[in-house]
Amino acid sequence: MHLLEFFVAGFGLALLMWEAFASPKNKSILALAGAGGLTVALIVLIWSTCCPCTSCEVPQWMSRFYGIGEYTVFFKGFALVSTIIVLLMSYDFRKILNRYTCPDATENNTGEFYCLPVFACAGLMWMASATDLVSIFVALELVTITFYVMVAYMRRNVGSLEAGVKYLILGALSTGFLVYGIAWLYGATKTTDLAAIAAGPITSSPALLFGLALIIISLGFKVGAAPMQLWIPDVYQGAPTPITSFLSVASKAAGFGVAITILKPFLMAEATQPAVATILVLMAAATLIYGNFAALAQTNFKRLLAYSSIAHAGFILLGMATQSFDSVLFYLATYLIMTFAGFFVLGLIRNNDDSDEIDAFNGLGKRNPTLALAVTIIMASMAGVPLTAGFLGKFFIFGAAVNNLDIVSWPVLVVAFAAAASGFYYYFKVIRAVYWFAPEKSEPLQISLIAKLALILFTTAIIVFGIYPQPIMSIVGG
């Protein structure tokens, strides 16, 4: 299992070499090849986890910076599944991508676009196994640098270029916060080894708390939490839709994985737990207020999903503050299903009507009743309607908050309930457009085979896991 990252990185290099020297006529075939290779890696990960004869011992030369933790397998699997879905979505998105990358709208300039997610996946997997602040930083930057390129890849689209510049500038700023925080933490503990930090006496020295605050702010950028969330709407709207979904799901989950790895010792230490939990709770409250109430006025579906992503980060931060890490992982698993389903729908609308606006959903119930039903299930789950996976995700988070009122406090809990209630308005605004308004176009909506299979799988999972969550809970519980 500990060699999978090297396999994924090597596979990414092989794809790049294939694109550069074999130069396939249809560059989009690289997306299918990439998805196939990562599927093999996912199968190996599952097999190595389930097979009792497989050794998971980390080689001595890697043990200083790399290890197999409690949630390592979950986040590695999360990265692989997310990247496979993104590559399949990219294959469906090729018509839009070609238009904004090549003057003659051919696939000549798109080859690297299908290879970069594989390198990002390798970085995400290394983040899941990193046990040292230095290796966490290196893995994080591998992921971030690939996203710099992918966000601005549609170079003939002004919105994509603007998104790339904003992401680059604010990403560099967050990197500065992270490095500075690591420096302060090293000065306070004399080590960057997280195992040594957890084993040693943890004190509430000003230097240590200041370093932790800087690291939390930096990770807030990665997960889209206040006060580092302002980049999300513009970057999500300008980036190619598959990359927006990648940022929204895989990058956010990896950020929370790193946050658990770094903050767990300090949340369990009596000297630092009150300060760290208070910071997380305040960030959660601010994130919930901003994400949910800013989403109310949105008319663009992509921006609505961006603010929704911020709101979800707020709920996950509540789980972090209460040390309910299993609830956090369950929420992330359901979030993957709902969000990728929403972006597949957005990709279909964009391919057919060339629009991201909520008005493009008008009359979808008449143009394609099956897709309209899928949109209804997805939006209901995001809002938290009972008998959906999204409801159980919020239920477990609120359960943890209610059981830890000494940490969360009633005012923050009231804010969380109000934020969850406001979600019904802006999610159901999409459902209203689907059924209440007349379609602007009369022709039926075309759905590709990949999108059709993905939506069937996702909507079925939303219902099944909303009624019977045990499969996800067994994975989360290890």
Side-chain angles (χ1 to χ4, degrees):
M1 182 170 66
H2 47 264
L3 297 177
L4 271 181
E5 292 89 346
F6 296 97
F7 167 78
V8 172
F11 180 64
L13 286 172
L15 286 178
L16 274 180
M17 294 302 101
W18 181 24
E19 193 278 332
F21 296 107
S23 192
K25 183 178 179 181
N26 297 322
K27 304 289 187 181
S28 55
I29 195 67
L30 293 166
L32 299 181
L38 294 182
T39 301
V40 172
L42 180 62
I43 293 171
V44 172
L45 177 67
I46 295 172
W47 177 77
S48 65
T49 304
C50 298
C51 182
C53 63
T54 302
S55 174
C56 291
E57 185 178 348
V58 178
Q60 184 65 32
W61 62 273
M62 296 172 59
S63 60
R64 175 67 173 82
F65 299 100
Y66 183 102
I68 307 300
E70 186 178 357
Y71 304 121
T72 298
V73 174
F74 174 86
F75 283 108
K76 283 189 177 184
F78 198 103
L80 286 167
V81 171
S82 298
T83 311
I84 291 168
I85 295 170
V86 166
L87 288 170
L88 295 176
M89 194 185 301
S90 298
Y91 183 81
D92 268 4
F93 191 74
R94 63 191 183 279
K95 182 175 73 173
I96 304 295
L97 186 67
N98 296 342
R99 184 193 311 168
Y100 290 110
T101 54
C102 193
D104 56 359
T106 62
E107 296 188 3
N108 292 335
N109 297 335
T110 61
E112 296 87 352
F113 182 83
Y114 304 114
C115 302
L116 286 171
V118 179
F119 291 103
C121 180
L124 294 169
M125 294 172 70
W126 265 311
M127 285 170 65
S129 294
T131 58
D132 189 281
L133 292 171
V134 174
S135 56
I136 286 174
F137 171 74
V138 173
L140 195 61
E141 288 310 295
L142 171 60
V143 175
T144 304
I145 289 171
T146 58
F147 275 117
Y148 289 154
V149 180
M150 292 188 291
V151 167
Y153 202 88
M154 296 195 302
R155 49 191 171 274
R156 295 170 60 84
N157 182 289
V158 175
S160 181
L161 295 176
E162 179 186 349
V165 171
K166 289 182 177 179
Y167 187 61
L168 174 63
I169 294 173
L170 293 175
L173 177 65
S174 74
T175 298
F177 276 105
L178 179 60
V179 173
Y180 197 37
I182 290 174
W184 276 89
L185 201 60
Y186 175 76
T189 62
K190 303 299 185 291
T191 181
T192 57
D193 186 354
L194 291 171
I197 293 174
I202 296 178
T203 62
S204 58
S205 66
L208 187 144
L209 294 177
F210 182 64
L212 279 177
L214 291 173
I215 291 174
I216 291 172
I217 290 174
S218 174
L219 294 177
F221 173 86
K222 306 301 180 186
V223 304
M228 299 290 286
Q229 84 290 0
L230 296 176
W231 63 277
I232 284 186
D234 291 336
V235 172
Y236 278 27
Q237 186 177 10
T241 299
I243 304 309
T244 303
S245 68
F246 206 16
L247 275 170
S248 181
V249 179
S251 180
K252 184 185 294 289
F256 277 113
V258 169
I260 291 174
T261 301
I262 295 177
L263 299 181
K264 188 175 181 180
F266 300 102
L267 283 168
M268 300 182 71
E270 185 177 349
T272 54
Q273 187 272 336
V276 175
T278 300
I279 292 174
L280 293 177
V281 168
L282 292 176
M283 287 178 65
T287 304
L288 287 168
I289 292 171
Y290 181 87
N292 282 283
F293 294 112
L296 295 175
Q298 299 305 312
T299 58
N300 182 283
F301 186 64
K302 212 172 184 182
R303 289 184 74 87
L304 187 146
L305 289 179
Y307 285 108
S308 166
S309 172
I310 297 172
H312 286 299
F315 289 114
I316 297 171
L317 282 171
L318 282 181
M320 288 280 298
T322 58
Q323 302 181 46
S324 182
F325 300 121
D326 286 350
S327 297
V328 168
L329 268 59
F330 184 91
Y331 197 106
L332 287 172
T334 59
Y335 176 74
L336 178 149
I337 298 169
M338 299 183 298
T339 305
F340 273 130
F343 278 106
F344 260 108
V345 170
L346 176 61
L348 287 172
I349 298 296
R350 181 71 188 271
N351 282 334
N352 282 268
D353 298 341
D354 197 20
S355 174
D356 295 333
E357 299 296 320
I358 295 177
D359 290 345
F361 288 81
N362 288 355
L364 186 61
K366 296 180 180 178
R367 295 179 66 190
N368 194 312
T370 305
L371 183 59
L373 177 61
V375 172
T376 303
I377 294 173
I378 295 163
M379 293 297 105
S381 182
M382 284 189 170
V385 173
L387 301 182
T388 64
F391 168 77
L392 285 182
K394 286 187 173 67
F395 179 81
F396 292 141
I397 292 293
F398 276 112
V402 170
N403 291 331
N404 292 274
L405 284 175
D406 56 323
I407 298 174
V408 176
S409 80
W410 275 107
V412 174
L413 194 60
V414 170
V415 167
F417 274 114
S422 68
F424 280 83
Y425 173 80
Y426 59 81
Y427 289 125
F428 278 50
K429 183 165 59 175
V430 180
I431 299 176
R432 182 185 63 174
V434 167
Y435 292 108
W436 287 12
F437 298 127
E440 297 179 0
K441 296 183 179 181
S442 58
E443 63 270 17
L445 205 68
Q446 301 299 318
I447 306 179
S448 68
L449 177 61
I450 290 176
K452 186 180 296 184
L453 293 176
L455 287 174
I456 290 173
L457 178 64
F458 287 139
T459 51
T460 302
I462 286 172
I463 299 299
V464 170
F465 293 141
I467 299 172
Y468 182 67
Q470 193 57 41
I472 297 180
M473 295 177 72
S474 61
I475 294 172
V476 168

